[in-house]
Amino acid sequence: MNDLWRKEILALEKDDDTFIKEWLRAQYAERNNDYEAIGNSFHKWIRDNHQRLKINTSTDYEQFISNFSFFAKIYRKIRHAEKNFSEVTKYIFYNAQLTFTMQTQMLMAPICPEDDGATVIQKINLTARFIDLMINAKVTNNKRVERNNIESYVSNLTRDIRHLSVDELKNKLKQHFDDLDYNDAAAFHKLRLNQFTRKYIRNVLARITSFIEEHTSGTPRYVEYMTSSKNPYEIEHIICDHFERFTNDFADKNEFDYWRDSIGALLILRKTINASLGDSDYIQKLVKYCSTDGNIYAASLGKQTYQNNPGFKKFIDENNLSFEPFDKFGKEEIPRRIDVVIQLVNLIWNTKEFQ
């Protein structure tokens, strides 16, 4: 068994310490101070807690090392899924794009050493889906999800879902999401672009745009939107930063800035396209939005998209969406666009997997 231990450690390479900490937290930690103690010195924590870990005999030790090997393989699969998009494990990838650092601990918590491969994947995906929903619910309400802000919440949840069956896990995760008491309509009507929300809004725009593409052209581009480095994508303001052009719409600069940064007044576009649009007026921008340089969500602002894209029209009708084109874009149009965002959010972020 010692050879097995060494083999798994070598496979983990630089991630070995991280894996051991996440594994111990996921499977064994009972008190909140355990999580910190494991992070500081997991070797000492194991020695101090060998009774709780049931490492008393040579047989116990062999079982402990066998479990170590089992979870090391799962850890490597999770790490691979975080870096490589797959439809099967897409929520793990989504969460990784938002650098949620406590994902692995939560994903390993419900898994039992006796689980077969299919059950492991099902439990991981259900938990990753909950994380996806939880992040969206918290950040759109301007609540932070960094480790120092959410560690206690995650630790309690980790213990609550530990070693559950698939059905038990579904029920528990649904309960935890319901406990968040999330109102997406209220959250998205208030959601504005700022330093904190920027990466999350970029993710929302990428998910929304890719979702429409998936159901119209069959070619979602989320990975491209989030990971492209040669010509990256960035957030585009539909309204240019010139208050003096909008004095009929907005009472003052503060109101102008408030609405300009609304989720309903934002798109995701390539950086080069965004830069080329500069201070252009809406009508000039619309030409670019509706060209091959844009995307379906940006193009939905223009009339020709509804005339020349039967797949898009079918998508709208099937999902009862209130998409509409705009000849102008200002304070009156933004709330209507927010309503469309909320409708798409309801399609993308929901608890159907927990039913």
Side-chain angles (χ1 to χ4, degrees):
M1 298 305 291
N2 286 334
D3 289 340
L4 180 59
W5 177 287
R6 284 194 294 272
K7 179 181 178 182
E8 295 300 342
I9 283 288
L10 288 172
L12 290 164
E13 296 178 341
K14 294 180 181 179
D15 275 346
D16 56 354
D17 280 7
T18 302
F19 157 66
I20 294 171
K21 292 173 184 177
E22 299 297 343
W23 170 51
L24 294 174
R25 286 167 170 159
Q27 291 285 306
Y28 299 103
E30 292 294 343
R31 300 177 295 270
N32 283 350
N33 61 356
D34 285 337
Y35 296 87
E36 182 178 355
I38 290 169
N40 291 335
S41 177
F42 65 83
H43 309 84
K44 182 178 184 301
W45 187 86
I46 291 174
R47 287 196 302 270
D48 293 345
N49 292 273
H50 70 277
Q51 294 285 355
R52 193 196 310 176
L53 272 59
K54 299 179 181 178
I55 312 176
N56 298 307
T57 67
S58 59
T59 301
D60 295 337
Y61 179 76
E62 288 184 1
Q63 184 61 54
F64 185 74
I65 301 306
S66 176
N67 290 349
F68 173 94
S69 175
F70 176 77
F71 280 96
K73 291 181 175 67
I74 293 171
Y75 176 79
R76 291 200 299 274
K77 289 179 181 178
I78 292 170
R79 295 292 291 150
H80 183 270
E82 288 179 333
K83 297 174 183 177
N84 302 274
F85 181 84
S86 166
E87 184 65 27
V88 176
T89 53
K90 60 185 178 182
Y91 298 121
I92 299 176
F93 185 84
Y94 294 151
N95 299 334
Q97 303 316 299
L98 298 175
T99 59
F100 183 72
T101 61
M102 303 185 75
Q103 172 166 230
T104 304
Q105 170 186 318
M106 297 175 69
L107 297 185
M108 290 196 293
I111 296 170
C112 303
E114 301 80 22
D115 288 340
D116 60 25
T119 302
V120 168
I121 290 295
Q122 194 172 4
K123 288 183 177 182
I124 285 176
N125 285 341
L126 285 168
T127 309
R129 177 51 158 169
F130 171 82
I131 296 171
D132 178 43
L133 292 168
M134 181 268 293
I135 292 174
N136 180 68
K138 285 185 175 291
V139 301
T140 56
N141 275 314
N142 284 300
K143 296 178 181 177
R144 295 185 175 275
V145 291
E146 288 83 1
R147 180 179 287 271
N148 60 332
N149 300 110
I150 203 173
E151 189 164 22
S152 178
Y153 172 82
V154 169
S155 298
N156 290 333
L157 193 145
T158 297
R159 292 193 295 272
D160 209 25
I161 64 174
R162 185 176 290 158
H163 301 159
L164 297 183
S165 69
V166 169
D167 287 340
E168 290 171 334
L169 182 61
K170 288 180 180 180
N171 291 334
K172 186 64 70 172
L173 293 175
K174 176 65 163 55
Q175 175 188 324
H176 275 279
F177 183 74
D178 289 344
D179 288 345
L180 293 175
D181 195 24
Y182 180 56
N183 184 326
D184 53 11
F188 276 85
H189 271 289
K190 293 185 294 184
L191 185 61
R192 296 297 183 274
L193 182 66
N194 56 46
Q195 188 173 359
F196 162 62
T197 61
R198 180 171 294 276
K199 74 174 177 179
Y200 301 109
I201 285 180
R202 181 168 175 257
N203 177 66
V204 168
L205 293 170
R207 292 278 293 275
I208 284 173
T209 306
S210 185
F211 181 79
I212 300 170
E213 292 166 341
E214 179 182 358
H215 290 84
T216 53
S217 67
T219 309
R221 294 191 291 166
Y222 175 84
V223 177
E224 180 183 338
Y225 294 141
M226 295 298 290
T227 66
S228 179
S229 56
K230 268 191 173 182
N231 188 6
Y233 287 80
E234 60 183 20
I235 296 171
E236 149 78 352
H237 285 85
I238 298 173
I239 297 175
C240 64
D241 194 11
H242 283 278
F243 167 61
E244 69 276 8
R245 301 181 191 176
F246 296 89
T247 53
N248 290 333
D249 266 353
F250 304 99
D252 53 37
K253 182 68 160 59
N254 287 336
E255 185 185 42
F256 170 76
D257 290 338
Y258 177 83
W259 284 105
R260 181 173 179 267
D261 285 333
S262 162
I263 185 69
L266 303 172
L267 305 169
I268 190 167
L269 290 177
R270 285 196 182 276
K271 184 176 181 178
T272 51
I273 299 171
N274 196 12
S276 71
L277 293 172
D279 294 336
S280 301
D281 289 328
Y282 172 70
I283 294 302
Q284 295 171 295
K285 288 186 172 188
L286 191 58
V287 174
K288 204 71 169 175
Y289 295 161
C290 296
S291 72
T292 55
D293 291 329
N295 55 60
I296 188 64
Y297 183 59
S300 67
L301 290 163
K303 290 180 180 178
Q304 55 266 54
T305 304
Y306 301 79
Q307 299 165 353
N308 305 328
N309 195 328
F312 182 54
K313 290 179 67 178
K314 181 181 178 183
F315 171 71
I316 293 172
D317 293 340
E318 287 179 345
N319 294 286
N320 196 28
L321 301 172
S322 57
F323 271 103
E324 59 180 314
F326 297 108
D327 293 327
K328 65 182 186 66
F329 200 84
K331 184 178 177 180
E332 178 185 334
E333 290 73 29
I334 294 172
R336 286 147 63 182
R337 190 72 170 179
I338 294 175
D339 288 338
V340 173
V341 171
I342 293 167
Q343 291 169 349
L344 291 167
V345 166
N346 283 328
L347 293 174
I348 298 169
W349 285 275
N350 55 65
T351 58
K352 289 180 180 177
E353 284 96 336
F354 305 147
Q355 304 303 318

